[in-house]
Amino acid sequence: MAVGAPRRPAVKRNGSAPYTGVPRVRVAVGESAGDDGDLLASRVRLLEGFIGRGEIADCAQIGLQWLGAVLGIRQSICLIRPENEQALFVVAAYGLGSAVTRYSVSVEDWRNPLVSAYTNRKELFFPAPHSAADRKRRPVTPLEDAAFHAVPLGVPGSEEGAGLLLLEGASALPSELHWFVTVFSQKLDQILRQQILAEGDRKQGRERTLLYNIINAVSDPILLTDTEGRLLIANARALTLFTASEEEGEGRRVAVRMNNMLLSSALSSKAIEETGATRRELLLVNPADGSDLVFELLSTVTEDPRQGSGVVSILRNVTDLRRASEEIEENYRKMRIAEVQARAESDRLNLIIDSVADPIVVTDAGGGTSLMNEPAERLFTIPVDASEIEQRWVQANDAHFSSFIAGMLVSSDQRRGGEIGLTDPRTGEPMPVEAIAGKILSEHGELTAVVTILHDRREALERQRLYSQLQVAADGLERKIQAATADIAQQNELLRRQAIELEQASALKSQFLANMSHEFRTPLNAMLGYTSMLLQGVAGPVEPPVKRQLGRIESNGRHLLTIINEILDISRIEAGRMPLQISTFKVPDLVNEVKAELEPIIMQRKLSVTIEMPRDLDPITSDRQKVKQILLNLLSNALKFTHQGGVTIAGKRNAREKTMVLSVADTGIGIAGADQDRIFEDFRQLDNSPTRAYGGTGLGLSICRRLAQMLDGRISVQSQVGKGSTFTLTLPTKGRK
Amino acid sequence: MTTKPDRPRVLLVDDYPDAREMYTEYLEFSGFDVVEAGNGMEALQRAVDASPDIILMDLSLPVMDGWEATRRLKADARTASIPVVALTGHALAGISEGAKKAGCDAFVTKPCLPEDLVREIRRILDGPPSAQSNKKPRRSGKYAKTS
């Protein structure tokens, strides 16, 4: 590789380069037809050394060595001015230390005699200095105080010298040196020329590479074809489309072949005829995946005087562009649809808004009305045939509404409600409305509109008024009810107290009667006892008239006792102090017992008493003592009120009702229908006159009914005046425990 | 008091002198030896002193009532075995129950004719002792109501 303009050429020191080579060319040098063949041989040696050497430093080293060996110059330096440099640099030295390579001479230092030697191409001699002043006049060189010659280098005819030789020696330069300078200068010139030439080539190559890099960097395929459509130059992208090696797949090769055909037909048809750029669409196949690629073909015909005309084609991939444009089209279509939908939506919204009975007003951010429905129009727009007063009402409405909206616009509230006092423009009557306004914000939070719905409050207010009237009426009614209730409560309380008092009075009465009966009995006990004793003759024999009188005392005493016992029973029942003694017993036995107890009276009255009941009648569970008391009462009543005939006591079970039915039927005087209920009342005898025919307290049936009720039974009567009566006692077969 | 191996001795307790006298006269007429007491306290004393065969006990008594006296008699080993017949003008429910609880062996309601009382005494004295305690109190059948 050639060395380009070296700033610091490499230095070949003496002895480092082998001095070999066989002379093959003989050069005749006429000028120095010397005395002997040695000189000629030494010249040939130098020329042979130069042959094939392309480097200045190498040649210079060979030259200096030759000078030392042939001409006896012991110390020498070769200075060369590289291209574009303003100094002379050491390229080779002979007989000096390595420090010499740092030496250089600036060509701009015009006071330096070496510079004038170089620029003027004039040989100079510098003798050894004899004094400090001499030394000052001498240029500073590595040769120091030694005498030396400065010899310029360069071919005649060239503007500038190639360099300078500094040669040690006090004597005059030999003639042979001039031959050397000529040859060496020519060699240097040749090398320099070659270097410049090589530099030019390199530059061209670099530019070419750069150009290739540039066109390869272009993502669009670029190609140069000849007039036949053959590919001359293609960039990397184009190569992938139009070339394929044998190793590559069949599909790819086919695609490439097709692309070439498509390209040549595209170019051949038009490219030649027309001059200048043409733009066409070219459809190619992507060899990588077989997909379609759409290119825009830009071809330009170039005229090259050396190579004839060719066509430069640039293919621009518009596949994506096409796709993009299709997408744009699609988007536009969608937008149109959306727009249509939006319009339909808006129409529907308008319909909805118009169908709402409440006024709706849409206000824009500036406070202007952008939409209102029909009810709102009636409030806020002046009708064509409006009278002056109607116009004023509408204007007042508008003002009220505007002030509400203004308040909404300046506030930060998202929603706001309020009442506005409007006027009905049709009637002029006050129309209070409830306004509810909401802000509509865009995606970015900007206020786009305010929607306000107004609701006529008149109906609600009227309803409210009616309701409050109703409320007042209801309150009044409630107060009255409360007063009445309080009154009733008071009455109830009074009644309750009276009831308690009555109860207490009743209890007192019962207690009093119980006590009284005890107090009655004690003396009666003595009276009856003594009467009995007198009748029995305990105190001695009694005369028959006395005995008759004593009998009267006894019977009246017994009657008194009966009355006392009955009063006592009533009061015990009323005081709830008549406990039940439940047992299971046979009814026929009981009936016989009753009959036996009353046998004396039966005998006395000369009446028949018949018992009609099955012997195997089931026993019943009840209070035996009380059932007996009832039957005794019924039977003694029957005997008392029957003068002839008889009494029948019957008993039977009613299986369905689970009851025992006992009846006492007589053939006595009977009871009239109207009186049949009254006979069970307290102290009731049908004949209430003081001279009544039948004795008794009138408590008997009353006691019977109460006892029957205590036993969960009942007593009823069937009777006909003059025919007789039947009293029926019905008792549950299983009385309560 | 006279000894009487053949005459049963009755202790008659009643605060109403007429009644006491009447029953005493009739009981003695009927062949009983009668010891009297006017209240519960006296009754206790007489029961110990005279060791009667039967005691007729009125319930409403001064100083100590018949129920208390009966309880004490039944609690005293010396008198516990003597049958006590409650004899009262009280006819209200609960009276007989109370008398039974106090330890009375029988219950007779006044008014009671002297002959009825004698019949009751004989029944108790002649009857088996076990039957006496189970005897239900009853009202004298002679005075069943006949209104």
Side-chain angles (χ1 to χ4, degrees):
Chain A
M1 164 153 177
V3 176
R7 281 161 199 252
R8 309 284 296 194
V11 176
K12 295 278 185 183
R13 278 180 291 277
N14 44 343
S16 64
Y19 204 54
T20 54
V22 180
R24 267 179 279 175
V25 182
R26 286 202 172 266
V27 180
V29 181
E31 194 192 327
S32 59
D35 37 0
D36 56 60
D38 287 350
L39 185 68
L40 197 65
S42 69
R43 284 186 177 187
V44 167
R45 214 158 53 236
L46 180 69
L47 292 173
E48 281 176 350
F50 283 161
I51 288 169
R53 302 278 169 184
E55 306 245 352
I56 290 173
D58 287 349
C59 293
Q61 196 65 46
I62 289 165
L64 295 184
Q65 277 175 346
W66 187 84
L67 288 175
V70 177
L71 298 182
I73 297 169
R74 286 171 297 158
Q75 289 182 319
S76 56
I77 298 167
C78 179
L79 293 160
I80 295 292
R81 182 185 175 185
E83 207 183 356
N84 302 327
E85 289 288 338
Q86 298 302 315
L88 298 165
F89 293 99
V90 174
V91 294
Y94 183 76
L96 290 161
S98 62
V100 72
T101 55
R102 286 197 293 273
Y103 180 66
S104 67
V105 177
S106 171
V107 293
E108 284 158 351
D109 186 7
W110 51 271
R111 280 176 302 189
N112 192 333
L114 293 178
V115 174
S116 75
Y118 164 71
T119 49
N120 298 333
R121 303 239 191 136
K122 193 176 79 182
E123 281 184 19
L124 287 176
F125 173 68
F126 298 92
H130 298 289
S131 63
D134 283 352
R135 200 167 280 129
K136 261 190 183 167
R137 278 193 294 272
R138 278 169 56 98
V140 180
T141 68
L143 298 172
E144 295 176 344
D145 286 349
F148 71 92
H149 296 270
V151 181
L153 292 169
V155 289
S158 68
E159 284 176 27
E160 285 188 330
L164 205 59
L165 281 176
L166 303 181
L167 306 170
E168 187 262 353
S171 55
L173 291 168
S175 59
E176 189 64 12
L177 184 75
H178 291 108
W179 175 81
F180 171 79
V181 168
T182 305
V183 169
F184 186 49
S185 290
Q186 280 174 350
K187 181 62 183 175
L188 284 178
D189 184 54
Q190 185 198 340
I191 289 172
L192 284 171
R193 266 185 215 284
Q194 276 176 355
Q195 278 182 353
I196 287 162
L197 214 66
E199 184 64 23
D201 277 357
R202 234 182 357 264
K203 226 168 162 180
Q204 215 178 352
R206 274 207 305 277
E207 279 164 7
R208 207 184 167 81
T209 308
L210 196 64
L211 197 67
Y212 263 113
N213 285 345
I214 287 167
I215 66 165
N216 274 338
V218 175
S219 61
D220 291 337
I222 295 172
L223 8 99
L224 176 66
T225 47
D226 62 14
T227 46
E228 272 83 52
R230 281 192 298 264
L231 209 59
L232 299 176
I233 296 172
N235 71 349
R237 180 76 182 103
L239 288 174
T240 63
L241 286 170
F242 297 108
T243 61
S245 65
E246 287 300 313
E247 296 91 58
E248 278 173 313
E250 178 67 23
R252 202 184 172 94
R253 285 209 307 273
V254 169
V256 165
R257 228 174 9 254
M258 202 150 142
N259 284 347
N260 277 309
M261 268 152 51
L262 287 164
L263 179 68
S264 357
S265 73
L267 290 175
S268 64
S269 56
K270 284 234 171 184
I272 305 303
E273 304 154 21
E274 293 177 14
T275 54
T278 61
R279 282 165 181 270
R280 264 161 299 150
E281 215 165 66
L282 176 62
L283 192 73
L284 296 180
V285 180
N286 187 352
D289 57 11
S291 63
D292 283 348
L293 292 173
V294 184
F295 289 93
E296 190 182 64
L297 175 61
L298 232 89
S299 47
T300 312
V301 178
T302 58
E303 293 293 344
D304 190 324
R306 278 179 303 177
Q307 293 178 351
S309 59
V311 179
V312 174
S313 301
I314 299 173
L315 300 168
R316 190 180 294 157
N317 191 341
V318 294
T319 313
D320 292 343
L321 210 64
R322 165 72 70 80
R323 203 171 292 148
S325 84
E326 277 169 5
E327 263 173 39
I328 287 168
E329 232 167 85
E330 173 69 13
N331 283 345
Y332 179 68
R333 202 176 56 79
K334 279 182 184 166
M335 213 168 72
R336 286 294 302 274
I337 292 170
E339 198 185 313
V340 168
Q341 281 175 346
R343 191 166 301 144
E345 194 71 22
S346 142
D347 287 349
R348 205 156 56 230
L349 199 67
N350 280 339
L351 269 175
I352 291 169
I353 288 175
D354 271 337
S355 70
V356 174
D358 284 335
I360 298 176
V361 181
V362 180
T363 315
D364 61 28
T369 303
S370 52
L371 184 72
M372 59 169 79
N373 65 353
E374 212 187 302
E377 275 173 13
R378 281 203 291 275
L379 287 173
F380 299 116
T381 58
I382 300 167
V384 188
D385 53 350
S387 67
E388 202 176 311
I389 183 79
E390 281 175 344
Q391 286 185 21
R392 269 217 300 283
W393 285 332
V394 169
Q395 281 159 358
N397 284 351
D398 203 38
H400 284 305
F401 181 72
S402 297
S403 99
F404 173 79
I405 286 296
M408 176 71 181
L409 288 173
V410 296
S411 84
S412 58
D413 299 347
Q414 189 66 32
R415 300 180 145 275
R416 177 177 265 210
E419 201 164 310
I420 310 178
L422 298 181
T423 306
D424 190 335
R426 283 169 301 182
T427 60
E429 66 179 52
M431 180 178 172
V433 294
E434 188 183 7
I436 297 165
K439 284 179 183 167
I440 294 175
L441 303 178
S442 70
E443 287 171 28
H444 315 293
E446 299 163 348
L447 177 69
T448 55
V450 175
V451 177
T452 311
I453 299 176
L454 304 169
H455 184 66
D456 192 345
R457 296 264 297 135
R458 279 179 296 180
E459 204 175 314
L461 287 172
E462 178 63 13
R463 218 176 292 146
Q464 209 172 323
R465 195 180 63 78
L466 287 174
Y467 179 75
S468 55
Q469 274 182 3
L470 196 67
Q471 192 72 44
V472 168
D475 286 350
L477 193 63
E478 198 179 325
R479 271 196 301 280
K480 280 180 189 164
I481 290 171
Q482 274 172 355
T485 309
D487 212 34
I488 288 170
Q490 205 179 337
Q491 302 258 357
N492 276 347
E493 179 59 22
L494 217 62
L495 283 173
R496 200 176 61 82
R497 282 191 197 159
Q498 283 173 353
I500 290 169
E501 281 167 15
L502 276 174
E503 212 170 277
Q504 284 170 347
S506 173
L508 276 173
K509 184 196 80 178
S510 298
Q511 188 58 48
F512 171 76
L513 289 174
N515 287 343
M516 284 313 289
S517 75
H518 177 255
E519 296 310 316
F520 288 152
R521 266 176 226 240
T522 307
L524 194 58
N525 187 42
M527 284 159 65
L528 285 171
Y530 276 114
T531 308
S532 175
M533 280 160 68
L534 284 171
L535 283 170
Q536 285 177 54
V538 172
V542 181
E543 293 299 314
V546 177
K547 208 170 199 171
R548 199 168 55 250
Q549 288 160 5
L550 283 172
R552 288 282 162 83
I553 292 172
E554 192 191 27
S555 70
N556 277 289
R558 285 192 185 187
H559 186 72
L560 181 59
L561 183 60
T562 308
I563 293 167
I564 290 169
N565 278 340
E566 285 181 348
I567 291 171
L568 184 62
D569 276 347
I570 288 286
S571 57
R572 281 199 296 190
I573 290 167
E574 281 182 351
R577 292 175 71 174
M578 179 84 90
L580 295 176
Q581 306 242 339
I582 303 296
S583 62
T584 302
F585 55 92
K586 290 178 177 166
V587 176
D589 292 354
L590 184 69
V591 171
N592 284 324
E593 217 174 293
V594 169
K595 189 188 168 194
E597 267 184 42
L598 293 179
E599 202 61 53
I601 301 170
I602 298 166
M603 300 283 281
Q604 192 190 329
R605 303 284 294 175
K606 297 185 174 76
L607 292 169
S608 67
V609 172
T610 319
I611 296 173
E612 287 180 0
M613 60 181 68
R615 287 280 339 149
D616 58 348
L617 199 63
D618 285 335
I620 65 166
T621 302
S622 193
D623 186 319
R624 192 179 196 275
Q625 183 59 39
K626 295 189 173 54
V627 177
K628 183 176 173 182
Q629 195 176 335
I630 294 167
L631 290 176
L632 274 170
N633 214 305
L634 293 178
L635 184 55
S636 60
N637 270 350
L639 295 171
K640 187 154 73 180
F641 294 105
T642 304
H643 303 289
Q644 54 187 21
V647 178
T648 306
I649 304 171
K652 63 173 192 270
R653 266 180 63 110
N654 184 331
R656 190 170 52 81
E657 284 184 11
K658 293 182 179 166
T659 53
M660 177 66 69
V661 183
L662 297 168
S663 59
V664 178
D666 62 51
T667 54
I669 57 172
I671 306 158
D675 297 328
Q676 284 176 10
D677 280 342
R678 290 166 53 206
I679 55 169
F680 294 104
E681 292 171 16
D682 288 348
F683 303 105
R684 177 70 65 182
Q685 260 196 345
L686 291 182
D687 181 3
N688 241 350
S689 63
T691 58
R692 62 190 186 194
Y694 305 98
T697 54
L699 285 172
L701 282 173
S702 170
I703 290 170
C704 285
R705 172 164 275 191
R706 286 165 196 247
L707 289 175
Q709 281 166 355
M710 280 177 70
L711 300 173
D712 296 329
R714 60 181 188 272
I715 288 181
S716 59
V717 63
Q718 282 182 313
S719 182
Q720 251 184 307
V721 176
K723 293 269 178 74
S725 308
T726 302
F727 285 84
T728 307
L729 168 66
T730 308
L731 290 171
T733 50
K734 294 260 188 260
R736 62 171 147 177
K737 296 281 177 194
Chain B
M1 292 182 204
T2 52
T3 49
K4 38 82 224 173
D6 53 334
R7 287 168 74 93
R9 180 172 290 170
V10 177
L11 170 59
L12 177 65
V13 189
D14 202 320
D15 63 326
Y16 188 57
D18 282 8
R20 203 165 66 220
E21 221 168 279
M22 176 185 80
Y23 285 130
T24 304
E25 199 176 335
Y26 191 79
L27 282 169
E28 283 177 347
F29 167 79
S30 301
F32 290 93
D33 192 11
V34 181
V35 182
E36 292 174 41
N39 60 52
M41 208 53 125
E42 272 180 33
L44 295 181
Q45 191 59 50
R46 298 279 187 280
V48 174
D49 293 347
S51 47
D53 297 296
I54 190 165
I55 300 170
L56 303 176
M57 181 73 79
D58 189 10
L59 293 175
S60 297
L61 295 168
V63 186
M64 182 190 285
D65 65 30
W67 294 281
E68 181 57 27
T70 305
R71 259 193 295 280
R72 295 204 184 182
L73 286 170
K74 290 295 174 184
D76 192 329
R78 294 168 293 177
T79 54
S81 61
I82 307 168
V84 178
V85 179
L87 184 65
T88 178
H90 288 290
L92 287 179
I95 297 290
S96 64
E97 288 297 313
K100 244 186 178 176
K101 258 184 205 151
C104 293
D105 300 275
F107 188 91
V108 174
T109 310
K110 284 196 270 190
C112 180
L113 291 177
E115 61 264 37
D116 291 337
L117 185 61
V118 167
R119 203 182 304 130
E120 185 67 14
I121 290 168
R122 290 228 165 92
R123 189 182 63 79
I124 290 169
L125 289 178
D126 296 347
S130 64
Q132 287 170 14
S133 59
N134 290 341
K135 191 74 188 163
K136 271 194 179 174
R138 55 183 289 276
R139 184 184 289 177
S140 170
K142 279 287 177 195
Y143 302 111
K145 287 155 289 176
T146 55
S147 66

